[in-house]
Amino acid sequence: MTTNVIMVTGATGVLGRQVLERLRRTGLPVRAMTRRTTLPDDPGVRWVTADLTTGEGLDAALEGVTTVIHCASDTRRPKNDVPGWRHLLDAAKRAGVGHIVNISIVGVDRIPYFYYKIKFEGERLLEESGVPWTNLRATQFPDLLNKAFRVLSKLPVVPVPSKTACQPVDQGEVADRLVELAQGEPAGQATEIGGPKVYDAPELARTWLAAAGKRRFVLKVRIPGKAGAAFRAGYLTTPRHATGVHTWEQYLADEVRR
């Protein structure tokens, strides 16, 4: 029986770190990809240096790999994600990778927001690549909402989209699902995963401010255009797939509350 060697891209990110933590427990051979040349001493994980943007180091990193869990994304320069996908897929085909598991976002197929368009293009490239694949769309991670609110709370008022529903899902639970999918057969488009409860965006802001001990006015802002209309239509959420367990309130109590 062939051993399933799993490599994680974006292994130093919010989600990638959680995926690595869970993979260590499987007993499977695990690799973690980073652009850094100084690699951590990490028992149970073989770190490798490669750059998705240029493709440098990918062939060596993928040698002998059976499955890739693709968590890497350049949120500051998202245009880099598309050439990164092409380099990864080309190298995966050369290496004979048998399964790529990708994390995406609920609504990328219906929300004409720039970053979402990039993520959806990545899904298309994966589907057309010829490499067996599984794609998992998830709702918003609490850690990312926390970082956004920390930045916005430096302003006199905290602007948030009006009439926009969100459904925070614990990134650890998403990591659990990715690891589960990586140990199974390629499934194509997997069932979406969302948090246990849908919230209005201003409610998320108010509860975060209360937990952080900050007093700010929450300003509801109507986002214009087709993207704003898609937000208001609820496309950021997946109420039928509210399979997450850890709530936003629990996250605030554990990570934010003073």
Side-chain angles (χ1 to χ4, degrees), residues 13-22 25 69 71 103-104 136 138-147 167-180 193-196 244-248 250-252 254-256:
V14 169
L15 181 61
R17 291 195 302 269
Q18 299 272 357
V19 169
L20 274 188
E21 179 185 323
R22 284 148 177 82
R25 304 172 195 160
I69 301 179
C71 299
I103 182 63
S104 190
L136 176 67
T139 53
Q140 306 77 39
F141 294 162
D143 267 10
L144 299 182
L145 291 170
N146 181 32
K147 289 177 183 178
Q167 191 178 351
V169 63
D170 180 76
Q171 51 262 20
E173 293 173 354
V174 175
D176 286 334
R177 182 64 177 136
L178 287 171
V179 171
E180 179 183 21
I193 181 170
V245 175
H246 200 74
T247 66
W248 172 245
Q250 288 173 302
Y251 176 83
L252 293 178
D254 294 342
E255 304 293 339
V256 180

Side-chain angles (χ1 to χ4, degrees), residues 229-243:
F231 290 158
R232 291 187 291 276
Y235 295 159
L236 288 169
T237 66
T238 182
R240 291 188 302 158
H241 304 117
T243 50

Side-chain angles (χ1 to χ4, degrees), residues 138 215 218 226:
R215 302 184 69 177
V218 176
K226 292 181 179 179

Side-chain angles (χ1 to χ4, degrees), residues 82-102:
V82 173
W85 257 120
R86 293 196 173 102
H87 289 140
L88 177 62
L89 292 169
D90 288 345
K93 284 185 278 190
R94 290 192 296 269
V97 170
H99 189 189
I100 295 181
V101 180
N102 179 53

Side-chain angles (χ1 to χ4, degrees), residues 115-232:
Y115 182 62
Y116 280 37
K117 289 181 178 180
I118 296 288
K119 294 294 285 185
F120 192 44
E121 174 67 5
E123 289 187 6
R124 186 190 66 79
L125 291 172
L126 177 60
E127 185 175 357
E128 296 177 356
S129 68
V131 180
W133 59 279
T134 301
N135 187 67
L136 176 67
R137 292 175 181 167
T139 53
Q140 306 77 39
F141 294 162
D143 267 10
L144 299 182
L145 291 170
N146 181 32
K147 289 177 183 178
F149 288 139
R150 285 195 185 282
V151 171
L152 292 172
S153 67
K154 295 177 182 179
L155 302 172
V157 298
V158 175
V160 295
S162 63
K163 297 182 179 180
T164 296
C166 299
Q167 191 178 351
V169 63
D170 180 76
Q171 51 262 20
E173 293 173 354
V174 175
D176 286 334
R177 182 64 177 136
L178 287 171
V179 171
E180 179 183 21
L181 291 167
Q183 294 179 84
E185 295 297 319
Q189 200 67 251
T191 302
E192 295 176 342
I193 181 170
K197 184 178 175 182
V198 174
Y199 302 81
D200 186 56
E203 179 186 3
L204 290 175
R206 285 191 291 268
T207 53
W208 183 91
L209 288 165
K214 296 179 180 289
R215 302 184 69 177
R216 299 284 190 279
F217 177 75
V218 176
L219 178 65
K220 299 178 185 179
V221 178
R222 182 179 175 84
I223 305 299
K226 292 181 179 179
F231 290 158
R232 291 187 291 276

